[in-house]
Amino acid sequence: MEKYYQESIECASREEIKAIQDERLVKQIRHVWDNVPYYRKKMEEKGLTPEDIRSTDDLHKLPFLSKKDLRDAYPYGLLAEPLENCVRIQSTSGTTGKRVVAFYTQHDIDLWEECCARAIMAAGGTNEDVCQISYGYGLFTGGPGLNGGSHKVGCLTIPTSSGNTDRQIMFIMDLNATILCCTPSYAAYLGERMKEMGYGPDDIPLKAGIFGAEAWSEEMRQDIQKTMGIKAYDIYGLTELSGPGVSFECSAQDGMHINEDHFIAEIIDPDTEEVLPEGKEGELVFTAIDKEAFPMIRYRTRDICSLTREKCSCGRTHVRMTKPKGRTDDMLIIRGVNVFPSQIETVLLNQGYAANYQIVVDRVNNTDSLDVQVEMTPEMFTDNIGEIEDRQRALSDGLKSMLGIKAKVSLVAPKSIARSEGKAVRVIDKRKI
Ligand code: DLL
């Protein structure tokens, strides 16, 4: 039986959802107009006043907000509440430039934790579960968000944070953890380590995993499910909007329901900024309609996916987004061809490899080169050169047909590629160094 944290909202009719969104959007636009000069100026530049926004039908009139706006306005320029009303900040891992600092009132924390509670219950969680949270705690939103959600559901929460893999496994086994929350790459590593320690799927008490914060393929899901004997659910979110729980998978494991009472989603063409119809792939844009401190109007996420309103077997009515296949800024352009790391992952996993790989892009003699280093699994490990060459050729052919360009494949020994405890770094683009 499907379980819901807030059934009446999660399964509301389209009309009810639209009514909530209309009302909240109008209120939110008035809030940012009154309290954030940065938004007011952007609206004025488009000749808009709050009176022009009377329902979600007017959303398209509003200006977009980009990562650059967040950097320009750092740290307080987009804050919509006095600091004395704020109770927390979180921040992105930001590898380039200034970090994004997001502010939360207590209302914003509650809203965020409720979204995470919805995700945990959609993964079958109840107050009888033991939920181990192996996302990082601290400025990163993964640990704090799911910790709050787990409390709201009433699970016994184990806040291990990331790292110290053998201790993670000890807690899972000794305290009978039933739900594991971490990045998919860390879940794969935990699975690998459990296997080495001699634990098969039947020995592991886990029943579900809630994995997100990075792009991962369907093939990787199958692998993790098999190794640990669990159902693996995807969860999506970003610091700017609160953190994990903006959307989450249900028992159907077929796209992530976006919490539409809090976030309005649009898909746009990243080049023309035109809003695309349902089903078309493009850049995901969000408007947070119920946040107080850090509202975000038409925020361009750079994540690439599509939306569907097709009926879902779980009973939830909120729109679903497909697994993001990566970010526009993760997309590699190699010899003029667009390549997403997730496409490479799909080929590797289909040929029986685990998700332990590194992609190195370089430019040699004015030509881009794509080098994929892939670990052999312990079962396929051999020093027979002929066998290795055959495998490399098969992978190279697979990549050619998926990507349309040639890649150099190097098979390396098991365990020679560093494992990740958080978001995995799969790509080294030497052209940018
Ligand atoms: O990664 C929040 C989060 C924590 C989500 C734990 C899920 C679980 P940021 O560090 O701000 O926040 O990074 C946000 O990560 O724009 C996507 O590019 C990527 N991302 C997040 N979830 C997924 C996912 C957290 N399920 C950025 N699939 C987003 C693919 C994801 N990419």
Side-chain angles (χ1 to χ4, degrees), residues 92-93 135 140-142 146 211-216 234-240 243-244 256 301 303 324 327 423:
T92 57
S93 42
Y135 285 111
F140 177 56
T141 54
L146 281 144
F211 306 137
E214 60 186 3
W216 54 309
D234 202 351
I235 182 166
Y236 169 90
L238 54 158
T239 315
E240 296 87 323
M256 293 180 273
T301 64
D303 293 318
R327 302 167 68 117
K423 298 190 191 223

Side-chain angles (χ1 to χ4, degrees), residues 10 15 44 68 109 120 170 174 191 216 255 380 421 428:
E10 293 177 65
E15 296 71 34
E44 279 172 347
K68 180 172 179 308
I109 298 274
I120 292 172
M170 182 193 83
D174 293 353
W216 54 309
M380 60 174 72
E421 294 169 351
I428 302 171

